[in-house]
Amino acid sequence: MSTANAIRNADLEGALAEARETYTRRRPESLARHVEAAAVMPGGNTRSVLYHGPFPFAVVHGEGCRIRDADGLEYVNLIGEYTAGLFGHSHPAIRAAISRALDTGLNLTAHNLLEAKLARLVCERFPSVESVRFTNSGTEANLLAVATAKIATGRGTILAMQGGYHGGLMTFAGGGNPVNVPHKAVLCEFNDIAGAERLARENAADLAAILLEPMLGGGGCIPATDAFLAALRRLADETGAVLIFDEVMTSRLSPGGLQQATGVIPDLTTLGKYIGGGMSFGAFGGKQALMAIFDPRRPDAIPHAGTFNNNTLTMSCGITALSELYPPEKAVELNARGDALRERLNAAIRSRGLPAQVTGRGSMMAFHFTDQPLRNATEVGAANQKLKELLFLDLLERGYYIARRGMIALSLMVGDAECDGFVGAVEEWLDLRAPMMTA
Ligand code: PLP
C-alpha cells in the first residue's frame, strides 16, 4: 500500500471509529432493545438487510416520511422499506382501505370480490401481464415464475445475473447463497451481452428461463442498457427459454414498469413491494398460455397454494395503492423528482471533483465511491465500501436514513423540503469527508 493510501485509510478508520462511538453514545435505548432481542432472536434480527453495526436502532413510530427511534431521534426515511413503503407510514387512504377490509371480514376462506379487481388493475398496468396470480412475497413470486418456466419448457437451467436479487431463497450476490433453492443457475455479468450470448447458447438445450431485474436493485441500482435487454429478449426467443423480468422493485419506475419504459416485454413478470399498499404482497403473471397451467378447471392443473394469497387486507390496500395513490401520473411525477434529486447529488459530487457517483433511475438510486463506470455488481463491489458505512452513520446524525449499502427509494411523502435538506446534508458531508476520498 502506498504511503498516501495508508494515511487515507487510517483517517477513514479513525473517522469510522468516531462515528460508531457517537452512534452508540446517542442510542442507549436502542442498544438495550437490541440486547433484549438478541436473547430470543439470532443477533436480535429476523431480516438480515436491516442489521448494521454497531447495532441497529429500534424504531418506535413513523408518520409521513419520518420515523422516530427508541431514543427519540428523528429521521427522514429515504429508504422507504426498500421500495415497498411508497406511501409513507400509515397513509390515511391505506388506513381506510384496511378499515374497509376489516368491515368485510378477514379470513373469509373463499374467493372474494377484491382479488379479481386487483388482478385487473395489475393486468391493465404492466404490458406483459395478461393473467396474474398472487403470492405473499416477491420471493415466492420469483420461485413460482421460475417453476412456471421449468414446467412450460420441460427444462432445468436458469440464466441469471451475478449480484441479482430475487428474494431470500434466490440471491446471486457473490455467486449465490447456501439457503438458495437448488436450481441449476448459470450466472453472467449484468450488461454483458457477449457473456449472456455465450452462456445461453452453451446451455440452450436445457435453458428454461432468463431471469433478471431490468435494473439491479439490491445490487446497486445499476440500470440494464436497452441493448442488453433487447439481446436477452432475442436469446430467449432463439433458445425457447422464458424471459422473466423481476420487477418487484422496478415496477414503480414508470406507469407500466421498466418493461414499458424500455419497450422490452418479457414473457413473465414478478411483482411485489408497494403494490400491496404496504401489506405483504407478491405476484407473478404473464402470457395467458404460460399462466394457464395453474387453471384448476384443467385436469392437469398445477396446484399453487397459499393461505394468504387472496387475503382481503392486501387486496384492499393493493386496489387503493394502484388506483388511488399511484396512478400513472403519480408514477411519472415521483420518478421525475427522483431523477432531479439524483442529478443534484451527482452535480454536488462533480463540482468537488470527488471519486463518487449516484447511480439509478427515477425514484431508486444508490451512492458508490468510485468515479469509474458501473455496469454490474462486480464493479459495484470493487468500489470503496467503508465510505458507505461512514456516509450512512454520518447521515443518521444529520437526520437522514438511507440504506447501509447506500440505497435510496423515495416515497410519495418525501417532498421538496426533504430533498433540499438532504442535498444540503450530503454537500456538507462531501466537504467534511473529501480528504478521505482523494488519494
Ligand atoms: N426481487 C427483488 C428485485 C427484490 O428487491 C426483492 C426484495 O427486496 C425480492 C424480489 C423479494 O421480495 P420479498 O422481500 O417480498 O420476498
Side-chain angles (χ1 to χ4, degrees):
M1 190 186 286
S2 74
T3 314
N5 267 342
I7 292 168
R8 190 175 87 233
N9 290 337
D11 282 344
L12 180 52
E13 291 299 343
L16 266 172
E18 201 181 309
R20 290 179 195 134
E21 219 175 280
T22 305
Y23 177 95
T24 304
R25 195 177 56 249
R26 297 192 68 206
R27 292 169 181 81
E29 279 303 317
S30 275
L31 178 57
R33 298 291 83 76
H34 170 63
V35 170
E36 260 175 30
V40 285
M41 302 162 86
N45 175 270
T46 190
R47 186 177 164 199
S48 301
V49 74
L50 298 183
Y51 184 83
H52 58 77
F55 54 88
F57 60 94
V59 173
V60 295
H61 189 253
E63 196 174 333
C65 66
R66 289 185 156 68
I67 51 175
R68 191 175 68 245
D69 73 14
D71 292 282
L73 302 173
E74 288 211 3
Y75 315 91
V76 176
N77 183 354
L78 290 174
I79 182 58
E81 200 66 288
Y82 292 84
T83 73
L86 184 57
F87 314 110
H89 308 292
S90 305
H91 191 290
I94 295 294
R95 198 182 275 273
I98 291 173
S99 185
R100 282 195 299 278
L102 289 170
D103 289 345
T104 314
L106 300 181
N107 307 125
L108 299 177
T109 333
H111 288 236
N112 59 64
L113 298 185
L114 301 175
E115 59 206 68
K117 211 166 161 180
L118 182 57
R120 182 166 296 283
L121 287 167
V122 168
C123 290
E124 282 170 0
R125 190 121 170 183
F126 301 104
S128 68
V129 184
E130 296 171 0
S131 183
V132 67
R133 288 180 76 88
F134 297 122
T135 63
N136 297 287
S137 66
T139 301
E140 257 185 271
N142 280 307
L143 294 175
L144 281 147
V146 168
T148 305
K150 287 172 96 171
I151 294 163
T153 57
R155 300 171 179 177
T157 303
I158 54 176
L159 170 56
M161 304 298 132
Q162 282 284 1
Y165 183 77
H166 306 287
L169 304 177
M170 223 168 14
T171 166
F172 300 113
N177 179 331
V179 304
N180 275 2
V181 285
H183 288 309
K184 183 180 175 217
V186 292
L187 301 181
C188 83
E189 287 289 3
F190 203 64
N191 281 324
D192 175 7
I193 296 177
E197 281 172 350
R198 186 177 51 74
L199 282 173
R201 287 175 186 147
E202 274 172 18
N203 293 280
D206 192 49
L207 195 63
I210 300 176
L211 170 67
L212 80 158
E213 303 153 83
M215 174 170 87
L216 286 180
C221 290
I222 306 296
T225 62
D226 287 353
F228 186 58
L229 293 180
L232 295 182
R233 176 67 276 174
R234 224 175 24 248
L235 285 171
D237 292 340
E238 191 182 305
T239 57
V242 175
L243 181 62
I244 306 173
F245 276 9
D246 177 345
E247 293 233 49
V248 166
M249 278 189 169
T250 60
S251 69
R252 57 154 46 204
L253 296 180
S254 95
L258 276 190
Q259 56 196 265
Q260 186 186 53
T262 61
V264 180
I265 310 300
D267 303 304
L268 286 177
T269 298
T270 56
L271 299 166
K273 305 279 188 191
Y274 73 95
I275 294 179
M279 307 298 114
S280 301
F281 176 78
F284 66 107
K287 295 205 166 110
Q288 291 276 7
L290 283 168
M291 296 300 290
I293 61 170
F294 296 103
D295 181 343
R297 296 168 299 186
R298 277 170 54 159
D300 62 343
I302 304 292
H304 160 221
T307 302
F308 297 111
N309 286 354
N310 66 340
N311 80 82
T312 49
L313 269 186
T314 299
M315 299 297 113
S316 178
C317 291
I319 292 165
T320 297
L322 282 189
S323 62
E324 191 181 325
L325 296 179
Y326 204 55
E329 62 277 13
K330 277 280 178 202
V332 171
E333 198 181 295
L334 178 72
N335 289 300
R337 182 188 289 286
D339 284 334
L341 176 62
R342 199 176 63 259
E343 187 37 52
R344 286 174 74 187
L345 294 169
N346 277 323
I349 291 166
R350 268 197 312 273
S351 69
R352 288 165 175 78
L354 295 170
Q357 60 188 293
V358 183
T359 59
R361 180 168 178 151
S363 59
M364 289 170 62
M365 62 198 87
F367 285 88
H368 303 284
F369 292 99
T370 174
D371 50 10
Q372 298 302 304
L374 292 173
R375 291 159 296 207
N376 58 50
T378 303
E379 290 172 352
V380 165
N384 187 320
Q385 302 301 316
K386 285 188 175 166
L387 279 163
K388 285 189 182 174
E389 184 185 355
L390 190 59
L391 175 72
F392 169 73
L393 293 172
D394 283 348
L395 284 176
L396 284 178
E397 292 315 303
R398 289 165 173 78
Y400 295 94
Y401 179 36
I402 68 168
R404 162 67 183 79
R405 62 176 178 234
M407 184 177 166
I408 289 172
L410 293 183
S411 78
L412 291 164
M413 298 295 115
V414 175
D416 288 341
E418 286 80 19
C419 287
D420 291 349
F422 181 63
V423 172
V426 170
E427 285 176 335
E428 206 184 287
W429 185 83
L430 291 171
D431 289 334
L432 178 69
R433 303 302 190 188
M436 281 160 215
M437 283 183 240
T438 45

